[in-house]
Amino acid sequence: MKFELDITKHLRSGGEEFVLRSHFSTSNRALVLFGPSGSGKTLTLKAVAGLLTPDEGCIKVNGDVLFDSSSNVDIPTCHRKVGYVFQDYALFPHLTVWENVAFGLKRVFGRVGPEKVRDVDALVGLFGLDKVAHLKPSFISGGQQQRTALARTLATRPRILLLDEPFSALDQPLRLRMRSELENVLEKFDIPMIMVTHDSDEVESFAEAVVVYRDGNVVGMHNVHEMTRAGKSLSDTIRHEVALAYGPQ
């Protein structure tokens, strides 16, 4: 995956201005955006998905231009072929697990076509949701909700998976188990990923490259393979980044 992003976005809230200046480029398939809450990670992810329009700049995936202010290109979210898993999973509460997974495959004002029903059944089975497929989200566990959100996202066969702090709503034991399950999913579907997190353990578990954010700016980027070849420690680097981010200002 070749991913290129160079954007600026000004936002105002309560009289305060926040400026996102995000710039990086990578060919790694597992990219983690790391930094404190409120540092601009999720805003960047939303810009990639088309849920936030930058003031200026460009976003490219494998050479395809998703956004370019200089040439007035802004591809609608539905045509970007990106899969977005929200922090709270954003499942439809009135739909069952099966219906949530199938939602992106529905015809407009219609039902899932017969040829797609088998795809939905296969995903429900793959994610171990067979026994809860008839239940609505409020009646299933946090881990099952996350698997449902992942299955729904992957049903549309996106070219890139965007994950916004996917484990933050889970308790620690379940978080560890779901990390392992996500690793298996990424390997099985062979899909590039961009993950947002402020958890250093998740960086070490998933990252091939790490983009570090602070106060709306990219303040560092680390390629894990290059670090390993140079004999550097990702753990030590992340601890240093945490100390800078959360230490005295």
Side-chain angles (χ1 to χ4, degrees):
M1 178 189 75
K2 177 67 174 178
F3 186 80
E4 303 165 83
L5 182 143
D6 186 358
I7 58 172
T8 301
K9 178 70 176 181
H10 294 75
L11 300 108
R12 281 198 163 273
S13 177
E16 297 291 326
E17 184 179 48
F18 179 87
V19 182
L20 173 70
R21 298 182 181 90
S22 189
H23 169 70
F24 57 86
S25 176
T26 182
S27 295
N28 295 103
R29 291 176 61 80
L31 178 67
V32 174
L33 311 184
F34 175 72
S37 296
S39 59
K41 308 181 303 297
T42 294
L43 292 175
T44 300
L45 205 68
K46 287 183 176 180
V48 175
L51 302 175
L52 175 80
T53 302
D55 295 329
E56 59 183 358
C58 65
I59 303 170
K60 298 179 182 179
V61 176
N62 286 334
D64 293 339
V65 177
L66 303 185
F67 175 83
D68 189 341
S69 59
S70 65
S71 54
N72 294 317
V73 174
D74 188 5
I75 304 299
T77 299
C78 59
H79 296 308
R80 293 196 179 195
K81 297 181 181 179
V82 299
Y84 196 117
V85 178
F86 293 87
Q87 186 174 350
D88 61 359
Y89 311 138
L91 298 175
F92 299 108
H94 63 292
L95 300 181
T96 66
V97 166
W98 195 97
E99 290 167 339
N100 265 282
V101 175
F103 184 82
L105 302 177
K106 289 175 62 177
R107 298 166 178 160
V108 179
F109 305 117
R111 298 183 177 183
V112 177
E115 70 283 1
K116 298 295 184 181
V117 169
R118 287 190 296 274
D119 293 342
V120 176
D121 288 340
L123 278 169
V124 167
L126 177 65
F127 281 86
L129 297 167
D130 309 73
K131 294 182 179 179
V132 298
H134 63 291
L135 298 177
K136 294 179 179 178
S138 60
F139 293 96
I140 61 178
S141 70
Q144 290 167 333
Q145 289 178 17
Q146 187 190 66
R147 289 200 294 271
T148 301
L150 274 169
R152 180 182 65 184
T153 300
L154 292 169
T156 60
R157 299 182 181 178
R159 62 177 166 183
I160 185 170
L161 181 63
L162 309 179
L163 303 169
D164 188 3
E165 301 200 30
F167 308 108
S168 61
L170 307 177
D171 58 35
Q172 187 64 18
L174 183 55
R175 189 178 305 174
L176 294 174
R177 194 179 87 202
M178 292 307 297
R179 281 180 192 161
S180 177
E181 289 194 12
L182 178 57
E183 288 174 351
N184 293 334
V185 167
L186 294 173
E187 182 177 353
K188 182 175 182 64
F189 283 86
D190 190 27
I191 184 171
M193 172 201 75
I194 302 177
M195 176 188 289
V196 162
T197 186
H198 57 257
D199 187 319
S200 58
D201 290 337
E202 290 169 15
V203 175
E204 294 186 49
S205 294
F206 293 100
E208 292 181 6
V210 187
V211 178
V212 183
Y213 282 78
R214 200 169 304 133
D215 300 323
N217 298 292
V218 172
V219 296
M221 185 167 182
H222 308 286
N223 184 299
V224 176
H225 300 306
E226 291 177 0
M227 291 178 65
T228 301
R229 284 196 297 269
K232 297 180 180 179
S233 167
L234 177 61
S235 299
D236 291 344
T237 300
I238 294 304
R239 278 196 291 269
H240 176 68
E241 297 289 1
V242 169
L244 288 176
Y246 295 96
Q249 302 297 312

